């Protein structure tokens, strides 16, 4: 065993070799020394417990090759590009909405340069970072003012903390939703320091339920859009107009967590109806919050639009600074919103709309290309077919709605092993396992040509 330990090279000796000097120049002295020491420690452990040298200790060249591998791996960003073939277009676990080209460019410009983030170029003095976005959102939604934070949960937290701390918030029992990651509306209320007053029942809530709950401690009435679930059958809910009329009698604001954030009527594209932000503002709701990376089709952000006096209270709340967005997000959001100023061009410029409206014939043509590439890479143990599929929007948007789609299915032995092979690719392919088949749904694919290139590496 002692002889094995003596065969291990010293760090100093490794650094003086030609290959060691090259690695030192490329990755830096600290990283080079750290990896060498880590590998030497691994080698000592293997000698101690297995009485043999690891494969990379055959000679200095092999050792330095292993050093190079680990140094390169340490430089790789672990958030990998993946190909989404799950059929869920807005997949929360896979990053939700793809940015439009103009949003990507705006974000890149903000990364590379100083920008007038909190600076009024005309007045030559400090301004608020939401100013540009606020004007644009007001133009698009009809609201008086707007506020932007880092996601919609943050938007809800800010509204509650800013307007109802130590006060009562009245909400329907049927709207006490839980979103992804076991994040619940009652928990947000608790963190905001307000008191929940739930009214009605799970399936039926009436205007009188709200009216009977209002007292001197009530700060506001709240509506939550059930974007990630649906209650069917014997149901009743109070429309926003009715709730606003009731609230006005008591000089109380009504806030609405709309969630998905549609700014256009999706029915014009053959998609199911989703209430729009403009509709809620027109119905008199005082504050409406929604996401930037769901049906809006942009960056992760929480957007609040509504009455100017209430927005100003939120802008000056200490939480606003904690929850604010950086220059890249704001630039990407502004660029995305500006696409809505040309609604006739949205279909070709906004990726989420493009994906959701592709025809079945277009998807079939894509599936045929994918099937051919896969057949060239997989052996005869697998049977591939093109099948009708059922896609969904995802991220809690219209959970009951299914969109006709097309998938390449793979049937055969050891499908879990094949799925593992897909995930081990430089750009992993993520599908779904269903009915004893792998389903590769084309509606959710970001870039078909890049996908086909990845298949060649199987």
């Amino acid at each position: 065993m002692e002889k094995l330990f003596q065969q291990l090279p010293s760090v100093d000796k490794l650094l003086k070799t030609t290959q060691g000097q090259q690695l030192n120049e490329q990755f830096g002295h600290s990283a080079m020394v750290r990896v060498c020491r880590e590998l030497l420690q691994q080698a000592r452990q293997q000698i101690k417990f297995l009485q043999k040298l690891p494969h990379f200790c055959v000679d200095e060249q092999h050792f330095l090759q292993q050093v190079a591998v680990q140094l390169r791996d340490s430089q790789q960003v672990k958030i990998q590009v993946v190909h989404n073939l799950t059929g869920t277009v807005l997949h929360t676990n896979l990053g939700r909405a793809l940015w439009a080209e103009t949003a990507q460019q705006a974000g890149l410009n903000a990364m590379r340069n100083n920008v007038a983030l909190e600076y009024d170029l005309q007045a030559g003095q400090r301004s608020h970072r939401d100013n540009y976005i606020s004007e644009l959102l007001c133009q698009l939604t009809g609201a008086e003012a707007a506020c932007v934070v880092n996601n919609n949960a943050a938007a809800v937290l800010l509204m509650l903390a800013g307007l109802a701390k130590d006060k009562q918030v009245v909400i329907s029992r049927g709207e006490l939703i839980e979103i992804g990651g076991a994040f619940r509306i009652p928990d947000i209320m608790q963190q905001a320091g307000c008191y929940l007053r739930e009214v009605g029942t799970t399936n039926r809530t009436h205007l009188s339920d709200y009216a009977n709950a209002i007292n001197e401690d009530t700060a506001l009435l709240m509506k939550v859009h059930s974007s990630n679930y649906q209650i069917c059958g014997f149901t009743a809910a109070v429309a926003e107009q009715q709730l606003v009329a009731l609230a006005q009698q008591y000089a109380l604001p009504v806030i609405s967590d709309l969630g998905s954030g549609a700014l256009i009527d999706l029915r014009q594209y053959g998609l199911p109806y989703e209430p729009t932000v403009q509709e809620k503002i027109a119905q008199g709701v005082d504050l409406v919050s929604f996401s930037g990376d769901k049906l809006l089709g942009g960056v992760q952000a929480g957007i609040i639009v509504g009455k100017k006096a209430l927005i100003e209270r939120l802008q000056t709340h200490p939480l606003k600074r904690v929850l604010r967005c950086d220059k890249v997000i704001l630039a990407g959001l502004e660029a995305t919103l500006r696409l809505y100023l040309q609604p006739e061009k949205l279909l070709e410029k906004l990726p989420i709309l493009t994906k959701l409206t592709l025809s079945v014939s277009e998807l079939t043509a894509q599936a045929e290309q994918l099937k051919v590439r896969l057949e060239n890479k997989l052996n005869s143990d697998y049977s591939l077919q093109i099948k009708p599929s059922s896609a969904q929007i995802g991220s809690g948007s219209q959970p009951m709605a299914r969109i006709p789609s097309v998938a390449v299915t793979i049937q055969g032995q050891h499908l879990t092993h094949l799925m593992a092979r897909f995930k081990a690719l430089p750009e992993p392919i993520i599908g779904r396992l269903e009915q004893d088949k792998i389903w590769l749904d084309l509606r959710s694919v970001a870039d078909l040509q890049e996908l086909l290139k990845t298949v060649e590496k199987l």
Side-chain angles (χ1 to χ4, degrees):
M1 187 184 297
E2 187 64 31
K3 289 183 179 180
L4 293 177
F5 281 118
Q6 291 174 357
Q7 292 180 47
L8 296 179
S10 69
V11 174
D12 185 60
K13 187 177 180 181
L14 291 167
L15 289 170
K16 289 178 179 178
T17 64
T18 302
Q19 188 178 357
Q21 290 173 353
Q22 291 173 346
L23 291 174
N24 190 66
E25 178 69 23
Q26 183 178 358
F27 295 100
H29 181 76
S30 298
M32 176 74 176
V33 170
R34 173 179 54 80
V35 172
C36 285
R37 287 174 175 169
E38 288 174 355
L39 288 174
L40 287 170
Q41 181 59 27
Q42 288 178 30
R44 292 187 189 100
Q45 291 295 313
Q46 183 160 324
I47 293 170
K48 181 179 178 181
F49 292 105
L50 301 179
Q51 288 78 52
K52 67 177 183 178
L53 288 168
H55 69 280
F56 56 83
C57 285
V58 174
D59 53 38
E60 289 176 0
Q61 183 180 0
H62 282 82
F63 193 98
L64 287 168
Q65 285 175 351
Q66 185 65 24
V67 171
V69 167
Q70 295 203 195
L71 284 169
R72 292 190 188 100
D73 183 65
S74 70
Q75 298 297 305
Q76 295 297 316
V77 176
K78 299 305 180 185
I79 297 181
Q80 288 181 267
V81 172
V82 301
H83 296 286
N84 177 11
L85 286 100
T86 62
T88 301
V89 180
L90 290 173
H91 201 302
T92 297
N93 299 341
L94 302 181
R96 288 191 181 170
L98 305 175
W99 289 25
E101 288 289 340
T102 54
Q104 294 175 40
Q105 189 58 54
L108 189 59
N109 287 339
M111 291 180 206
R112 288 176 169 172
N113 301 288
N114 292 320
V115 297
L117 180 63
E118 294 182 359
Y119 186 77
D120 188 322
L121 291 169
Q122 292 182 336
Q125 61 187 25
R126 183 171 181 168
S127 66
H128 198 283
R129 67 174 57 200
D130 288 355
N131 280 354
Y132 300 120
I133 298 288
S134 183
E135 293 173 8
L136 189 52
L137 283 164
C138 292
Q139 182 180 352
L140 291 170
T141 66
E144 295 177 5
C147 172
V148 182
V149 289
N150 64 348
N151 62 24
N152 189 53
V156 174
L157 176 66
L158 181 59
M159 289 192 296
L160 293 171
L163 304 178
K165 183 173 171 56
D166 297 326
K167 292 285 187 177
Q168 175 182 275
V169 175
V170 183
I171 184 173
S172 168
R173 187 170 277 110
E175 296 174 7
L176 294 174
I177 68 168
E178 176 181 313
I179 59 177
F183 203 64
R184 299 174 174 180
I185 287 290
D187 296 337
I188 299 176
M189 288 186 172
Q190 185 178 22
Q191 290 299 317
C194 54
Y195 301 102
L196 167 65
R197 177 64 187 274
E198 52 189 279
V199 297
T201 61
T202 302
N203 59 320
R204 292 177 68 82
T205 302
H206 306 283
L207 188 63
S208 58
D209 294 321
Y210 289 96
N212 293 335
I214 294 172
N215 58 38
E216 64 276 7
D217 288 327
T218 303
L220 52 84
L221 309 183
M222 184 175 184
K223 287 283 291 181
V224 179
H225 176 48
S226 57
S227 59
N228 67 347
Y229 74 100
Q230 196 171 79
I231 300 176
C232 303
F234 186 57
T235 64
V238 178
E240 273 79 352
Q241 300 99 312
Q242 294 176 289
L243 201 59
V244 167
L246 173 66
Q248 288 174 347
Q249 296 176 29
Y250 298 90
L252 294 173
V254 174
I255 68 171
S256 175
D257 171 11
L258 195 53
S260 297
L263 290 181
I264 51 172
D265 187 347
L266 295 175
R267 290 174 293 186
Q268 65 186 297
Y269 301 108
L271 297 167
Y273 168 71
E274 179 77 11
T276 66
V277 177
Q278 294 92 323
E279 289 172 354
K280 300 304 176 187
I281 293 297
Q283 290 163 359
V285 177
D286 297 279
L287 291 178
V288 181
S289 74
F290 52 99
S291 295
D293 59 346
K294 292 186 179 181
L295 289 176
L296 188 96
V299 305
Q300 178 181 297
I303 303 167
I304 308 170
V305 297
K307 299 293 172 58
K308 185 176 181 180
L310 297 178
I311 293 290
E312 287 177 348
R313 288 174 61 181
L314 301 184
Q315 293 285 22
T316 57
H317 193 278
L319 266 181
K320 174 57 169 65
R321 184 176 180 84
V322 176
L323 303 172
R324 69 184 183 178
C325 298
D326 72 357
K327 63 177 183 176
V328 176
I329 292 297
L330 289 173
L333 177 58
E334 181 184 351
T336 303
L337 291 171
R338 290 198 179 280
L339 294 177
Y340 283 86
L341 297 174
Q342 298 176 301
E344 296 82 9
K345 298 289 185 179
L346 269 179
L347 202 59
E348 60 186 84
K349 293 186 176 182
L350 196 65
I352 178 64
L353 274 185
T354 304
K355 295 299 170 190
L356 291 176
T357 57
L358 280 174
S359 68
V360 169
S361 61
E362 290 174 291
L363 293 172
T364 301
Q366 293 184 9
E368 288 169 350
Q369 293 184 62
L370 177 59
K371 179 173 178 285
V372 169
R373 294 292 179 95
L374 285 169
E375 285 175 334
N376 290 335
K377 290 294 178 178
L378 300 179
N379 59 37
S380 57
D381 292 340
Y382 298 103
S383 171
L384 280 70
Q385 292 181 298
I386 295 175
K387 295 273 193 180
S389 183
S390 181
Q392 60 182 345
I393 295 174
S395 293
S397 301
Q398 300 181 350
M400 304 302 290
R402 291 294 180 269
I403 304 169
S405 188
V406 177
V408 174
T409 65
I410 306 174
Q411 193 169 13
Q413 299 295 319
H414 311 299
L415 291 182
T416 53
H417 173 68
L418 181 56
M419 290 281 275
R421 286 176 62 192
F422 284 156
K423 291 176 183 177
L425 287 164
E427 294 183 355
I429 295 173
I430 313 296
R432 67 179 192 265
L433 199 56
E434 190 178 282
Q435 300 171 357
D436 296 322
K437 298 183 183 74
I438 294 173
W439 291 70
L440 303 176
D441 194 305
L442 276 298
R443 184 163 301 277
S444 52
V445 173
D447 189 320
L448 177 65
Q449 295 309 313
E450 290 301 317
L451 169 65
L452 296 178
K453 291 177 185 176
T454 298
V455 171
E456 291 298 323
K457 299 171 185 175
L458 257 178

